[in-house]
Amino acid sequence: MRMIFLGPPGAGKGTQAVKLAAKYGIAHISTGDMLREHVRNETELGKEAKIYMDSGRLVPDELIIEMVRRRLKKEDSKKGFILDGFPRTVKQAEALDELLKSEGIVLDAVVFFDADEETLVRRLSGRRVCPNCNAIYNVYNEDYPSEDCCKNCGVKLVQRDDDKPDVVRQRLKVYEKETAPLLAYYKDKGNLIAVDASLESDEVLRAIEGLCGGKDDSN
Ligand code: AP5
């Protein structure tokens, strides 16, 4: 299975990518998680990326494309992958096309997570994440841990810096300007499928599996 998860901030791409990657034993490649790890480790890339991320802007294409190019060469990507949060601009999509073509890889689907702005803002304001294992929770969801600690590793959950209201507004604007044009890009290629991402999480999962055939043909 080789898929792209496309959609606005807070639509649930990361939540579903974690579940599907675990279920099918494929790589979950989240450019947001990779960048946050660089920020935590204070690498040169992390220091530069932080400036963009904290203000809700996109990190420059060249940096992201190189980061993904290296990631896709790793062994675990060979079985299949979900690209979560990449590509995010037409330039990134074109670079990915080149990259996949040179490796003889064909995408199975580009999944568009469709949700209204009210849902997105509510989800982002309630999101808490584990700074250790990147697990995602939401204070508005029933399964939110009562002690504010990660169910996997017990670490105290935190709010992402870019989930503050003014940064969220900026991220939504950037999405409309830079990323929404990718819907037409992939529609033209014929591999875009849309799911109603405002549904309850398990329903979204079922919808994706239904639309993608729910099979693991990556071996
Ligand atoms: P990134 O981390 O990729 O953020 P994003 O795309 O804005 O997406 P989010 O992580 O905010 O949302 P999501 O759709 O994954 O939702 P989630 O599953 O967490 O990027 C961050 C920054 O890094 C960017 O702003 C940019 O600066 C930089 N960057 C990253 N990639 C880049 C690129 N390619 N190019 C340039 N710059 C890049 O869910 C949200 C919340 O809702 C959670 O609390 C979850 O528990 C809850 N939830 C999810 N689904 C449901 C449901 N069905 N019902 C109820 N609650 C739900």
Side-chain angles (χ1 to χ4, degrees):
M1 218 184 243
R2 293 169 184 88
M3 298 193 286
I4 292 173
F5 281 5
L6 185 66
K13 305 178 296 294
T15 300
Q16 300 301 337
V18 167
K19 292 184 194 177
L20 279 166
K23 184 165 177 181
Y24 294 101
I26 56 178
H28 171 204
I29 303 180
S30 158
T31 43
D33 284 350
M34 291 165 80
L35 289 168
R36 281 183 286 279
E37 195 177 333
H38 276 283
V39 171
R40 269 197 300 277
N41 294 336
E42 297 182 2
T43 65
E44 283 310 308
L45 170 58
K47 284 180 202 160
E48 187 169 354
K50 188 174 181 347
I51 300 165
Y52 294 94
M53 295 168 81
D54 284 353
S55 59
R57 290 174 295 151
L58 294 183
V59 175
D61 287 330
E62 312 77 63
L63 299 178
I64 297 288
I65 291 165
E66 180 55 18
M67 188 175 81
V68 173
R69 195 184 62 76
R70 288 176 189 218
R71 181 65 185 81
L72 281 172
K73 287 203 178 300
K74 291 199 174 165
E75 200 50 41
D76 68 336
S77 305
K78 304 259 169 357
K79 264 193 86 183
F81 54 76
I82 297 172
L83 286 169
D84 163 13
F86 177 91
R88 233 165 159 123
T89 62
V90 171
K91 193 168 169 197
Q92 291 180 17
E94 288 169 349
L96 178 65
D97 283 348
E98 286 294 311
L99 198 61
L100 296 179
K101 197 172 158 199
S102 69
E103 301 285 331
I105 297 171
V106 177
L107 280 176
D108 294 304
V110 179
V111 182
F112 168 50
F113 284 65
D114 192 8
D116 58 86
E117 190 166 321
E118 195 185 329
T119 303
L120 301 174
V121 171
R122 180 178 158 87
R123 285 187 185 169
L124 291 170
S125 69
R127 174 165 58 188
R128 300 292 181 271
V129 294
C130 173
N132 184 46
C133 72
N134 296 324
I136 307 166
Y137 299 91
N138 200 293
V139 297
Y140 299 123
N141 292 350
E142 275 178 11
D143 59 355
Y144 186 74
S146 53
E147 303 296 322
D148 290 318
C149 290
C150 179
K151 291 178 187 175
N152 302 331
C153 48
V155 169
K156 189 88 179 157
L157 302 177
V158 296
Q159 185 170 36
R160 266 171 49 176
D161 285 341
D162 60 352
D163 279 347
K164 312 242 159 72
D166 52 334
V167 187
V168 164
R169 274 194 294 278
Q170 175 64 14
R171 287 165 62 205
L172 289 168
K173 266 194 221 159
V174 169
Y175 169 79
E176 283 305 327
K177 183 164 181 272
E178 305 281 353
T179 309
L182 290 182
L183 296 177
Y185 183 89
Y186 285 113
K187 199 171 175 195
D188 285 350
K189 287 181 180 287
N191 51 2
L192 185 75
I193 56 175
V195 292
D196 180 356
S198 65
L199 297 173
E200 188 267 320
S201 186
D202 286 344
E203 285 185 67
V204 178
L205 182 67
R206 276 195 293 277
I208 297 170
E209 290 189 291
L211 288 165
C212 298
K215 60 181 185 344
D216 180 13
D217 55 1
S218 51
N219 291 313

PDB file of all heavy atoms in Angstrom, residues 146-174:
ATOM      1  N   SER A 146      -7.387  10.298  31.736  1.00  0.00           N
ATOM      2  CA  SER A 146      -7.788  11.192  32.829  1.00  0.00           C
ATOM      3  C   SER A 146      -6.592  11.883  33.496  1.00  0.00           C
ATOM      4  O   SER A 146      -6.713  12.985  33.999  1.00  0.00           O
ATOM      5  CB  SER A 146      -8.592  10.408  33.858  1.00  0.00           C
ATOM      6  OG  SER A 146      -7.852   9.278  34.244  1.00  0.00           O
ATOM      7  N   GLU A 147      -5.430  11.258  33.489  1.00  0.00           N
ATOM      8  CA  GLU A 147      -4.259  11.859  34.151  1.00  0.00           C
ATOM      9  C   GLU A 147      -3.435  12.748  33.225  1.00  0.00           C
ATOM     10  O   GLU A 147      -2.320  13.162  33.577  1.00  0.00           O
ATOM     11  CB  GLU A 147      -3.346  10.758  34.707  1.00  0.00           C
ATOM     12  CG  GLU A 147      -4.001   9.798  35.676  1.00  0.00           C
ATOM     13  CD  GLU A 147      -4.456  10.492  36.954  1.00  0.00           C
ATOM     14  OE1 GLU A 147      -3.742  11.380  37.426  1.00  0.00           O
ATOM     15  OE2 GLU A 147      -5.544  10.138  37.453  1.00  0.00           O
ATOM     16  N   ASP A 148      -3.924  13.015  32.013  1.00  0.00           N
ATOM     17  CA  ASP A 148      -3.160  13.802  31.021  1.00  0.00           C
ATOM     18  C   ASP A 148      -1.824  13.152  30.677  1.00  0.00           C
ATOM     19  O   ASP A 148      -0.854  13.867  30.346  1.00  0.00           O
ATOM     20  CB  ASP A 148      -2.859  15.219  31.534  1.00  0.00           C
ATOM     21  CG  ASP A 148      -4.080  16.092  31.621  1.00  0.00           C
ATOM     22  OD1 ASP A 148      -4.905  16.043  30.697  1.00  0.00           O
ATOM     23  OD2 ASP A 148      -4.197  16.820  32.628  1.00  0.00           O
ATOM     24  N   CYS A 149      -1.734  11.831  30.807  1.00  0.00           N
ATOM     25  CA  CYS A 149      -0.465  11.149  30.511  1.00  0.00           C
ATOM     26  C   CYS A 149      -0.663  10.155  29.369  1.00  0.00           C
ATOM     27  O   CYS A 149      -1.733   9.553  29.244  1.00  0.00           O
ATOM     28  CB  CYS A 149       0.047  10.403  31.737  1.00  0.00           C
ATOM     29  SG  CYS A 149       0.616  11.515  33.028  1.00  0.00           S
ATOM     30  N   CYS A 150       0.380   9.981  28.558  1.00  0.00           N
ATOM     31  CA  CYS A 150       0.314   9.084  27.399  1.00  0.00           C
ATOM     32  C   CYS A 150       0.022   7.646  27.835  1.00  0.00           C
ATOM     33  O   CYS A 150       0.662   7.134  28.759  1.00  0.00           O
ATOM     34  CB  CYS A 150       1.636   9.151  26.631  1.00  0.00           C
ATOM     35  SG  CYS A 150       1.661   8.060  25.204  1.00  0.00           S
ATOM     36  N   LYS A 151      -0.915   7.006  27.143  1.00  0.00           N
ATOM     37  CA  LYS A 151      -1.266   5.620  27.483  1.00  0.00           C
ATOM     38  C   LYS A 151      -0.148   4.649  27.109  1.00  0.00           C
ATOM     39  O   LYS A 151      -0.063   3.561  27.657  1.00  0.00           O
ATOM     40  CB  LYS A 151      -2.544   5.201  26.740  1.00  0.00           C
ATOM     41  CG  LYS A 151      -3.786   5.912  27.232  1.00  0.00           C
ATOM     42  CD  LYS A 151      -4.993   5.475  26.409  1.00  0.00           C
ATOM     43  CE  LYS A 151      -6.209   6.296  26.752  1.00  0.00           C
ATOM     44  NZ  LYS A 151      -7.365   5.991  25.900  1.00  0.00           N
ATOM     45  N   ASN A 152       0.694   5.022  26.172  1.00  0.00           N
ATOM     46  CA  ASN A 152       1.779   4.126  25.745  1.00  0.00           C
ATOM     47  C   ASN A 152       2.981   4.220  26.669  1.00  0.00           C
ATOM     48  O   ASN A 152       3.594   3.223  26.998  1.00  0.00           O
ATOM     49  CB  ASN A 152       2.278   4.474  24.335  1.00  0.00           C
ATOM     50  CG  ASN A 152       1.170   4.417  23.318  1.00  0.00           C
ATOM     51  OD1 ASN A 152       0.226   3.658  23.484  1.00  0.00           O
ATOM     52  ND2 ASN A 152       1.273   5.228  22.283  1.00  0.00           N
ATOM     53  N   CYS A 153       3.352   5.452  27.062  1.00  0.00           N
ATOM     54  CA  CYS A 153       4.617   5.576  27.789  1.00  0.00           C
ATOM     55  C   CYS A 153       4.522   6.396  29.080  1.00  0.00           C
ATOM     56  O   CYS A 153       5.556   6.625  29.722  1.00  0.00           O
ATOM     57  CB  CYS A 153       5.710   6.128  26.868  1.00  0.00           C
ATOM     58  SG  CYS A 153       5.235   7.549  25.943  1.00  0.00           S
ATOM     59  N   GLY A 154       3.330   6.843  29.436  1.00  0.00           N
ATOM     60  CA  GLY A 154       3.148   7.503  30.729  1.00  0.00           C
ATOM     61  C   GLY A 154       3.660   8.932  30.812  1.00  0.00           C
ATOM     62  O   GLY A 154       3.569   9.580  31.856  1.00  0.00           O
ATOM     63  N   VAL A 155       4.184   9.454  29.699  1.00  0.00           N
ATOM     64  CA  VAL A 155       4.743  10.813  29.705  1.00  0.00           C
ATOM     65  C   VAL A 155       3.609  11.851  29.678  1.00  0.00           C
ATOM     66  O   VAL A 155       2.559  11.612  29.073  1.00  0.00           O
ATOM     67  CB  VAL A 155       5.697  10.985  28.481  1.00  0.00           C
ATOM     68  CG1 VAL A 155       6.096  12.440  28.281  1.00  0.00           C
ATOM     69  CG2 VAL A 155       6.919  10.109  28.645  1.00  0.00           C
ATOM     70  N   LYS A 156       3.811  12.970  30.355  1.00  0.00           N
ATOM     71  CA  LYS A 156       2.800  14.038  30.406  1.00  0.00           C
ATOM     72  C   LYS A 156       2.517  14.583  29.004  1.00  0.00           C
ATOM     73  O   LYS A 156       3.449  14.907  28.253  1.00  0.00           O
ATOM     74  CB  LYS A 156       3.345  15.165  31.294  1.00  0.00           C
ATOM     75  CG  LYS A 156       2.350  16.243  31.637  1.00  0.00           C
ATOM     76  CD  LYS A 156       1.583  15.889  32.883  1.00  0.00           C
ATOM     77  CE  LYS A 156       0.586  16.976  33.266  1.00  0.00           C
ATOM     78  NZ  LYS A 156      -0.504  16.423  34.103  1.00  0.00           N
ATOM     79  N   LEU A 157       1.245  14.687  28.650  1.00  0.00           N
ATOM     80  CA  LEU A 157       0.879  15.183  27.320  1.00  0.00           C
ATOM     81  C   LEU A 157       1.049  16.694  27.241  1.00  0.00           C
ATOM     82  O   LEU A 157       0.932  17.388  28.256  1.00  0.00           O
ATOM     83  CB  LEU A 157      -0.569  14.806  27.007  1.00  0.00           C
ATOM     84  CG  LEU A 157      -0.875  13.307  27.045  1.00  0.00           C
ATOM     85  CD1 LEU A 157      -2.361  13.047  26.802  1.00  0.00           C
ATOM     86  CD2 LEU A 157      -0.032  12.555  26.008  1.00  0.00           C
ATOM     87  N   VAL A 158       1.323  17.183  26.026  1.00  0.00           N
ATOM     88  CA  VAL A 158       1.515  18.635  25.844  1.00  0.00           C
ATOM     89  C   VAL A 158       0.675  19.115  24.663  1.00  0.00           C
ATOM     90  O   VAL A 158       0.239  18.326  23.824  1.00  0.00           O
ATOM     91  CB  VAL A 158       3.008  18.979  25.577  1.00  0.00           C
ATOM     92  CG1 VAL A 158       3.887  18.636  26.768  1.00  0.00           C
ATOM     93  CG2 VAL A 158       3.523  18.271  24.318  1.00  0.00           C
ATOM     94  N   GLN A 159       0.499  20.450  24.614  1.00  0.00           N
ATOM     95  CA  GLN A 159      -0.152  21.052  23.444  1.00  0.00           C
ATOM     96  C   GLN A 159       0.949  21.458  22.471  1.00  0.00           C
ATOM     97  O   GLN A 159       1.990  21.985  22.900  1.00  0.00           O
ATOM     98  CB  GLN A 159      -0.952  22.292  23.866  1.00  0.00           C
ATOM     99  CG  GLN A 159      -1.740  22.886  22.714  1.00  0.00           C
ATOM    100  CD  GLN A 159      -2.727  23.961  23.155  1.00  0.00           C
ATOM    101  OE1 GLN A 159      -2.451  24.724  24.077  1.00  0.00           O
ATOM    102  NE2 GLN A 159      -3.853  24.033  22.484  1.00  0.00           N
ATOM    103  N   ARG A 160       0.749  21.198  21.179  1.00  0.00           N
ATOM    104  CA  ARG A 160       1.760  21.620  20.206  1.00  0.00           C
ATOM    105  C   ARG A 160       1.821  23.142  20.149  1.00  0.00           C
ATOM    106  O   ARG A 160       0.808  23.811  20.237  1.00  0.00           O
ATOM    107  CB  ARG A 160       1.395  21.072  18.810  1.00  0.00           C
ATOM    108  CG  ARG A 160       2.056  19.759  18.499  1.00  0.00           C
ATOM    109  CD  ARG A 160       1.558  19.094  17.260  1.00  0.00           C
ATOM    110  NE  ARG A 160       1.484  19.931  16.073  1.00  0.00           N
ATOM    111  CZ  ARG A 160       1.139  19.477  14.866  1.00  0.00           C
ATOM    112  NH1 ARG A 160       0.856  18.193  14.706  1.00  0.00           N
ATOM    113  NH2 ARG A 160       1.068  20.275  13.834  1.00  0.00           N
ATOM    114  N   ASP A 161       3.029  23.693  19.990  1.00  0.00           N
ATOM    115  CA  ASP A 161       3.196  25.155  19.934  1.00  0.00           C
ATOM    116  C   ASP A 161       2.344  25.765  18.818  1.00  0.00           C
ATOM    117  O   ASP A 161       1.818  26.863  18.951  1.00  0.00           O
ATOM    118  CB  ASP A 161       4.666  25.525  19.670  1.00  0.00           C
ATOM    119  CG  ASP A 161       5.510  25.325  20.912  1.00  0.00           C
ATOM    120  OD1 ASP A 161       4.932  25.254  22.014  1.00  0.00           O
ATOM    121  OD2 ASP A 161       6.749  25.231  20.780  1.00  0.00           O
ATOM    122  N   ASP A 162       2.215  25.014  17.703  1.00  0.00           N
ATOM    123  CA  ASP A 162       1.482  25.588  16.568  1.00  0.00           C
ATOM    124  C   ASP A 162      -0.027  25.323  16.643  1.00  0.00           C
ATOM    125  O   ASP A 162      -0.746  25.575  15.691  1.00  0.00           O
ATOM    126  CB  ASP A 162       2.068  25.112  15.222  1.00  0.00           C
ATOM    127  CG  ASP A 162       2.023  23.601  15.038  1.00  0.00           C
ATOM    128  OD1 ASP A 162       1.672  22.885  15.997  1.00  0.00           O
ATOM    129  OD2 ASP A 162       2.323  23.133  13.926  1.00  0.00           O
ATOM    130  N   ASP A 163      -0.511  24.834  17.790  1.00  0.00           N
ATOM    131  CA  ASP A 163      -1.961  24.682  17.970  1.00  0.00           C
ATOM    132  C   ASP A 163      -2.567  25.868  18.710  1.00  0.00           C
ATOM    133  O   ASP A 163      -3.741  25.844  19.094  1.00  0.00           O
ATOM    134  CB  ASP A 163      -2.285  23.371  18.705  1.00  0.00           C
ATOM    135  CG  ASP A 163      -2.270  22.173  17.750  1.00  0.00           C
ATOM    136  OD1 ASP A 163      -2.261  22.383  16.523  1.00  0.00           O
ATOM    137  OD2 ASP A 163      -2.273  21.027  18.240  1.00  0.00           O
ATOM    138  N   LYS A 164      -1.788  26.929  18.938  1.00  0.00           N
ATOM    139  CA  LYS A 164      -2.335  28.150  19.546  1.00  0.00           C
ATOM    140  C   LYS A 164      -3.211  28.839  18.486  1.00  0.00           C
ATOM    141  O   LYS A 164      -2.895  28.787  17.282  1.00  0.00           O
ATOM    142  CB  LYS A 164      -1.201  29.079  19.975  1.00  0.00           C
ATOM    143  CG  LYS A 164      -0.108  28.347  20.773  1.00  0.00           C
ATOM    144  CD  LYS A 164       0.054  28.873  22.168  1.00  0.00           C
ATOM    145  CE  LYS A 164       0.718  27.869  23.081  1.00  0.00           C
ATOM    146  NZ  LYS A 164       2.158  27.648  22.837  1.00  0.00           N
ATOM    147  N   PRO A 165      -4.324  29.500  18.929  1.00  0.00           N
ATOM    148  CA  PRO A 165      -5.315  30.000  17.966  1.00  0.00           C
ATOM    149  C   PRO A 165      -4.775  30.863  16.827  1.00  0.00           C
ATOM    150  O   PRO A 165      -5.161  30.670  15.670  1.00  0.00           O
ATOM    151  CB  PRO A 165      -6.264  30.819  18.854  1.00  0.00           C
ATOM    152  CG  PRO A 165      -6.117  30.226  20.208  1.00  0.00           C
ATOM    153  CD  PRO A 165      -4.716  29.728  20.320  1.00  0.00           C
ATOM    154  N   ASP A 166      -3.835  31.789  17.105  1.00  0.00           N
ATOM    155  CA  ASP A 166      -3.380  32.664  16.010  1.00  0.00           C
ATOM    156  C   ASP A 166      -2.556  31.874  14.984  1.00  0.00           C
ATOM    157  O   ASP A 166      -2.633  32.125  13.776  1.00  0.00           O
ATOM    158  CB  ASP A 166      -2.597  33.882  16.533  1.00  0.00           C
ATOM    159  CG  ASP A 166      -1.477  33.474  17.457  1.00  0.00           C
ATOM    160  OD1 ASP A 166      -1.575  32.401  18.076  1.00  0.00           O
ATOM    161  OD2 ASP A 166      -0.480  34.222  17.544  1.00  0.00           O
ATOM    162  N   VAL A 167      -1.791  30.887  15.465  1.00  0.00           N
ATOM    163  CA  VAL A 167      -0.992  30.062  14.530  1.00  0.00           C
ATOM    164  C   VAL A 167      -1.918  29.134  13.735  1.00  0.00           C
ATOM    165  O   VAL A 167      -1.715  28.915  12.540  1.00  0.00           O
ATOM    166  CB  VAL A 167       0.105  29.249  15.269  1.00  0.00           C
ATOM    167  CG1 VAL A 167       1.012  28.549  14.281  1.00  0.00           C
ATOM    168  CG2 VAL A 167       0.927  30.139  16.185  1.00  0.00           C
ATOM    169  N   VAL A 168      -2.960  28.634  14.386  1.00  0.00           N
ATOM    170  CA  VAL A 168      -3.930  27.773  13.687  1.00  0.00           C
ATOM    171  C   VAL A 168      -4.567  28.542  12.523  1.00  0.00           C
ATOM    172  O   VAL A 168      -4.677  28.028  11.400  1.00  0.00           O
ATOM    173  CB  VAL A 168      -5.023  27.262  14.659  1.00  0.00           C
ATOM    174  CG1 VAL A 168      -6.225  26.706  13.901  1.00  0.00           C
ATOM    175  CG2 VAL A 168      -4.442  26.189  15.580  1.00  0.00           C
ATOM    176  N   ARG A 169      -4.951  29.794  12.788  1.00  0.00           N
ATOM    177  CA  ARG A 169      -5.568  30.602  11.713  1.00  0.00           C
ATOM    178  C   ARG A 169      -4.614  30.716  10.523  1.00  0.00           C
ATOM    179  O   ARG A 169      -5.004  30.573   9.370  1.00  0.00           O
ATOM    180  CB  ARG A 169      -5.940  31.992  12.247  1.00  0.00           C
ATOM    181  CG  ARG A 169      -7.319  32.034  12.900  1.00  0.00           C
ATOM    182  CD  ARG A 169      -7.788  33.460  13.111  1.00  0.00           C
ATOM    183  NE  ARG A 169      -6.955  34.163  14.085  1.00  0.00           N
ATOM    184  CZ  ARG A 169      -7.097  34.075  15.407  1.00  0.00           C
ATOM    185  NH1 ARG A 169      -8.052  33.337  15.915  1.00  0.00           N
ATOM    186  NH2 ARG A 169      -6.302  34.751  16.220  1.00  0.00           N
ATOM    187  N   GLN A 170      -3.340  30.985  10.830  1.00  0.00           N
ATOM    188  CA  GLN A 170      -2.341  31.123   9.765  1.00  0.00           C
ATOM    189  C   GLN A 170      -2.164  29.800   9.005  1.00  0.00           C
ATOM    190  O   GLN A 170      -2.096  29.772   7.777  1.00  0.00           O
ATOM    191  CB  GLN A 170      -1.006  31.580  10.396  1.00  0.00           C
ATOM    192  CG  GLN A 170       0.173  31.648   9.445  1.00  0.00           C
ATOM    193  CD  GLN A 170      -0.001  32.693   8.348  1.00  0.00           C
ATOM    194  OE1 GLN A 170      -0.883  33.564   8.424  1.00  0.00           O
ATOM    195  NE2 GLN A 170       0.811  32.599   7.312  1.00  0.00           N
ATOM    196  N   ARG A 171      -2.137  28.672   9.727  1.00  0.00           N
ATOM    197  CA  ARG A 171      -1.949  27.369   9.068  1.00  0.00           C
ATOM    198  C   ARG A 171      -3.119  27.060   8.131  1.00  0.00           C
ATOM    199  O   ARG A 171      -2.922  26.493   7.064  1.00  0.00           O
ATOM    200  CB  ARG A 171      -1.818  26.261  10.123  1.00  0.00           C
ATOM    201  CG  ARG A 171      -0.471  26.305  10.842  1.00  0.00           C
ATOM    202  CD  ARG A 171      -0.477  25.464  12.090  1.00  0.00           C
ATOM    203  NE  ARG A 171      -0.702  24.061  11.844  1.00  0.00           N
ATOM    204  CZ  ARG A 171      -1.215  23.219  12.747  1.00  0.00           C
ATOM    205  NH1 ARG A 171      -1.568  23.661  13.943  1.00  0.00           N
ATOM    206  NH2 ARG A 171      -1.356  21.963  12.455  1.00  0.00           N
ATOM    207  N   LEU A 172      -4.331  27.432   8.556  1.00  0.00           N
ATOM    208  CA  LEU A 172      -5.494  27.183   7.696  1.00  0.00           C
ATOM    209  C   LEU A 172      -5.412  28.030   6.418  1.00  0.00           C
ATOM    210  O   LEU A 172      -5.737  27.556   5.323  1.00  0.00           O
ATOM    211  CB  LEU A 172      -6.793  27.475   8.459  1.00  0.00           C
ATOM    212  CG  LEU A 172      -7.126  26.453   9.559  1.00  0.00           C
ATOM    213  CD1 LEU A 172      -8.263  26.960  10.450  1.00  0.00           C
ATOM    214  CD2 LEU A 172      -7.495  25.095   8.969  1.00  0.00           C
ATOM    215  N   LYS A 173      -4.929  29.269   6.568  1.00  0.00           N
ATOM    216  CA  LYS A 173      -4.771  30.137   5.384  1.00  0.00           C
ATOM    217  C   LYS A 173      -3.726  29.562   4.441  1.00  0.00           C
ATOM    218  O   LYS A 173      -3.910  29.514   3.229  1.00  0.00           O
ATOM    219  CB  LYS A 173      -4.279  31.535   5.836  1.00  0.00           C
ATOM    220  CG  LYS A 173      -5.380  32.533   6.053  1.00  0.00           C
ATOM    221  CD  LYS A 173      -4.781  33.923   6.152  1.00  0.00           C
ATOM    222  CE  LYS A 173      -5.474  34.687   7.247  1.00  0.00           C
ATOM    223  NZ  LYS A 173      -4.714  35.807   7.765  1.00  0.00           N
ATOM    224  N   VAL A 174      -2.610  29.132   5.012  1.00  0.00           N
ATOM    225  CA  VAL A 174      -1.532  28.559   4.191  1.00  0.00           C
ATOM    226  C   VAL A 174      -2.019  27.304   3.474  1.00  0.00           C
ATOM    227  O   VAL A 174      -1.711  27.077   2.309  1.00  0.00           O
ATOM    228  CB  VAL A 174      -0.280  28.253   5.056  1.00  0.00           C
ATOM    229  CG1 VAL A 174       0.733  27.415   4.297  1.00  0.00           C
ATOM    230  CG2 VAL A 174       0.355  29.549   5.543  1.00  0.00           C
TER     231      VAL A 174
END
